[in-house]
Short mmCIF file of all heavy atoms in Angstrom, two decimals:
data_model
loop_
_atom_site.label_atom_id
_atom_site.label_comp_id
_atom_site.label_asym_id
_atom_site.label_seq_id
_atom_site.Cartn_x
_atom_site.Cartn_y
_atom_site.Cartn_z
N MET A 364 3.35 9.15 -2.45
CA MET A 364 2.90 9.29 -1.07
C MET A 364 3.08 7.99 -0.29
O MET A 364 2.59 6.95 -0.71
CB MET A 364 1.42 9.69 -1.05
CG MET A 364 0.88 10.05 0.33
SD MET A 364 -0.93 9.97 0.41
CE MET A 364 -1.19 8.21 0.58
N PRO A 365 3.80 8.02 0.84
CA PRO A 365 3.93 6.81 1.65
C PRO A 365 2.62 6.51 2.38
O PRO A 365 1.80 7.43 2.54
CB PRO A 365 5.04 7.18 2.64
CG PRO A 365 4.97 8.67 2.75
CD PRO A 365 4.54 9.16 1.39
N PRO A 366 2.40 5.27 2.79
CA PRO A 366 3.26 4.09 2.58
C PRO A 366 3.00 3.45 1.23
O PRO A 366 2.12 3.88 0.48
CB PRO A 366 2.82 3.16 3.71
CG PRO A 366 1.35 3.47 3.85
CD PRO A 366 1.22 4.96 3.63
N GLN A 367 3.78 2.40 0.92
CA GLN A 367 3.56 1.66 -0.32
C GLN A 367 2.37 0.74 -0.15
O GLN A 367 2.35 -0.15 0.70
CB GLN A 367 4.82 0.85 -0.67
CG GLN A 367 5.99 1.71 -1.11
CD GLN A 367 5.65 2.59 -2.32
OE1 GLN A 367 5.19 2.09 -3.34
NE2 GLN A 367 5.86 3.88 -2.19
N LEU A 368 1.33 0.97 -0.97
CA LEU A 368 0.08 0.21 -0.91
C LEU A 368 -0.28 -0.25 -2.32
O LEU A 368 0.26 0.26 -3.30
CB LEU A 368 -1.03 1.11 -0.35
CG LEU A 368 -0.86 1.56 1.11
CD1 LEU A 368 -1.74 2.77 1.40
CD2 LEU A 368 -1.19 0.42 2.06
N PRO A 369 -1.17 -1.22 -2.45
CA PRO A 369 -1.61 -1.63 -3.79
C PRO A 369 -2.07 -0.42 -4.59
O PRO A 369 -2.72 0.48 -4.05
CB PRO A 369 -2.77 -2.59 -3.50
CG PRO A 369 -2.46 -3.14 -2.15
CD PRO A 369 -1.82 -2.02 -1.39
N ALA A 370 -1.73 -0.39 -5.88
CA ALA A 370 -2.02 0.79 -6.70
C ALA A 370 -2.44 0.37 -8.10
O ALA A 370 -2.07 -0.69 -8.60
CB ALA A 370 -0.81 1.70 -6.77
N VAL A 371 -3.24 1.24 -8.72
CA VAL A 371 -3.63 1.10 -10.12
C VAL A 371 -3.34 2.43 -10.79
O VAL A 371 -3.72 3.49 -10.27
CB VAL A 371 -5.12 0.75 -10.28
CG1 VAL A 371 -5.47 0.55 -11.75
CG2 VAL A 371 -5.49 -0.49 -9.47
N SER A 372 -2.65 2.42 -11.91
CA SER A 372 -2.34 3.66 -12.60
C SER A 372 -2.14 3.41 -14.08
O SER A 372 -2.06 2.26 -14.52
CB SER A 372 -1.08 4.31 -12.01
OG SER A 372 0.03 3.45 -12.15
N VAL A 373 -2.10 4.50 -14.85
CA VAL A 373 -1.79 4.37 -16.27
C VAL A 373 -0.32 4.04 -16.42
O VAL A 373 0.50 4.40 -15.56
CB VAL A 373 -2.13 5.67 -17.03
CG1 VAL A 373 -3.61 5.97 -16.97
CG2 VAL A 373 -1.32 6.85 -16.51
N ASP A 374 0.02 3.36 -17.49
CA ASP A 374 1.42 3.02 -17.76
C ASP A 374 2.06 4.19 -18.49
O ASP A 374 2.07 4.24 -19.72
CB ASP A 374 1.49 1.74 -18.59
CG ASP A 374 2.89 1.16 -18.64
OD1 ASP A 374 3.85 1.93 -18.46
OD2 ASP A 374 3.02 -0.06 -18.88
N GLN A 375 2.56 5.13 -17.71
CA GLN A 375 3.11 6.36 -18.28
C GLN A 375 4.31 6.09 -19.17
O GLN A 375 4.48 6.71 -20.22
CB GLN A 375 3.50 7.32 -17.16
CG GLN A 375 3.82 8.73 -17.62
CD GLN A 375 2.57 9.56 -17.92
OE1 GLN A 375 1.46 9.03 -17.96
NE2 GLN A 375 2.75 10.84 -18.14
N GLY A 376 5.16 5.16 -18.76
CA GLY A 376 6.32 4.84 -19.57
C GLY A 376 5.94 4.28 -20.92
O GLY A 376 6.53 4.64 -21.96
N ASP A 377 4.93 3.43 -20.93
CA ASP A 377 4.46 2.85 -22.19
C ASP A 377 3.84 3.93 -23.07
O ASP A 377 4.03 3.93 -24.29
CB ASP A 377 3.43 1.75 -21.89
CG ASP A 377 2.97 1.03 -23.15
OD1 ASP A 377 3.82 0.40 -23.80
OD2 ASP A 377 1.78 1.08 -23.47
N ALA A 378 3.10 4.88 -22.45
CA ALA A 378 2.48 5.95 -23.22
C ALA A 378 3.53 6.82 -23.91
O ALA A 378 3.39 7.20 -25.08
CB ALA A 378 1.60 6.81 -22.31
N ILE A 379 4.60 7.15 -23.18
CA ILE A 379 5.67 7.96 -23.77
C ILE A 379 6.35 7.20 -24.90
O ILE A 379 6.64 7.76 -25.96
CB ILE A 379 6.67 8.37 -22.68
CG1 ILE A 379 6.00 9.36 -21.71
CG2 ILE A 379 7.92 9.01 -23.30
CD1 ILE A 379 6.83 9.66 -20.49
N ALA A 380 6.60 5.91 -24.68
CA ALA A 380 7.23 5.09 -25.73
C ALA A 380 6.37 5.02 -26.98
O ALA A 380 6.87 5.14 -28.11
CB ALA A 380 7.50 3.69 -25.19
N ILE A 381 5.06 4.85 -26.80
CA ILE A 381 4.14 4.81 -27.94
C ILE A 381 4.15 6.15 -28.67
O ILE A 381 4.21 6.21 -29.90
CB ILE A 381 2.71 4.46 -27.48
CG1 ILE A 381 2.64 3.02 -26.98
CG2 ILE A 381 1.70 4.68 -28.61
CD1 ILE A 381 1.31 2.66 -26.34
N GLY A 382 4.08 7.25 -27.90
CA GLY A 382 4.04 8.57 -28.51
C GLY A 382 5.29 8.86 -29.34
O GLY A 382 5.20 9.34 -30.48
N ILE A 383 6.46 8.56 -28.80
CA ILE A 383 7.71 8.80 -29.53
C ILE A 383 7.76 7.91 -30.77
O ILE A 383 8.13 8.36 -31.87
CB ILE A 383 8.93 8.53 -28.63
CG1 ILE A 383 8.97 9.52 -27.47
CG2 ILE A 383 10.22 8.57 -29.44
CD1 ILE A 383 9.25 10.94 -27.87
N ARG A 384 7.41 6.66 -30.62
CA ARG A 384 7.46 5.72 -31.75
C ARG A 384 6.54 6.14 -32.89
O ARG A 384 6.92 6.15 -34.06
CB ARG A 384 7.07 4.31 -31.27
CG ARG A 384 7.19 3.23 -32.35
CD ARG A 384 6.64 1.92 -31.86
NE ARG A 384 5.20 1.96 -31.70
CZ ARG A 384 4.55 1.48 -30.62
NH1 ARG A 384 5.22 0.96 -29.61
NH2 ARG A 384 3.23 1.55 -30.57
N GLU A 385 5.31 6.52 -32.55
CA GLU A 385 4.34 6.87 -33.59
C GLU A 385 4.69 8.20 -34.26
O GLU A 385 4.54 8.33 -35.48
CB GLU A 385 2.93 6.91 -32.99
CG GLU A 385 2.41 5.57 -32.49
CD GLU A 385 2.20 4.58 -33.63
OE1 GLU A 385 1.96 5.02 -34.78
OE2 GLU A 385 2.28 3.36 -33.38
N LEU A 386 5.12 9.17 -33.49
CA LEU A 386 5.51 10.46 -34.08
C LEU A 386 6.73 10.27 -34.98
O LEU A 386 6.83 10.89 -36.05
CB LEU A 386 5.80 11.48 -32.99
CG LEU A 386 4.57 12.04 -32.24
CD1 LEU A 386 5.01 12.90 -31.08
CD2 LEU A 386 3.66 12.82 -33.19
N HIS A 387 7.66 9.44 -34.56
CA HIS A 387 8.84 9.15 -35.39
C HIS A 387 8.41 8.48 -36.70
O HIS A 387 8.91 8.82 -37.78
CB HIS A 387 9.79 8.24 -34.61
CG HIS A 387 11.03 7.89 -35.36
ND1 HIS A 387 11.21 6.68 -35.99
CD2 HIS A 387 12.17 8.60 -35.60
CE1 HIS A 387 12.40 6.65 -36.57
NE2 HIS A 387 13.00 7.80 -36.36
N ALA A 388 7.45 7.55 -36.60
CA ALA A 388 6.97 6.87 -37.81
C ALA A 388 6.26 7.84 -38.75
O ALA A 388 6.24 7.62 -39.97
CB ALA A 388 6.02 5.73 -37.42
N LEU A 389 5.69 8.91 -38.19
CA LEU A 389 4.99 9.92 -39.01
C LEU A 389 5.96 10.93 -39.62
O LEU A 389 5.55 11.81 -40.37
CB LEU A 389 3.95 10.65 -38.16
CG LEU A 389 2.71 9.82 -37.76
CD1 LEU A 389 1.90 10.54 -36.69
CD2 LEU A 389 1.85 9.54 -38.99
N GLY A 390 7.25 10.83 -39.27
CA GLY A 390 8.25 11.68 -39.91
C GLY A 390 8.81 12.78 -39.04
O GLY A 390 9.59 13.62 -39.52
#
Side-chain angles (χ1 to χ4, degrees):
M364 188 199 79
Q367 290 302 306
L368 295 161
V371 183
S372 61
V373 297
D374 193 335
Q375 192 78 350
D377 185 62
I379 292 171
I381 292 173
I383 296 292
R384 184 186 69 226
E385 294 294 333
L386 287 172
H387 180 259
L389 289 168

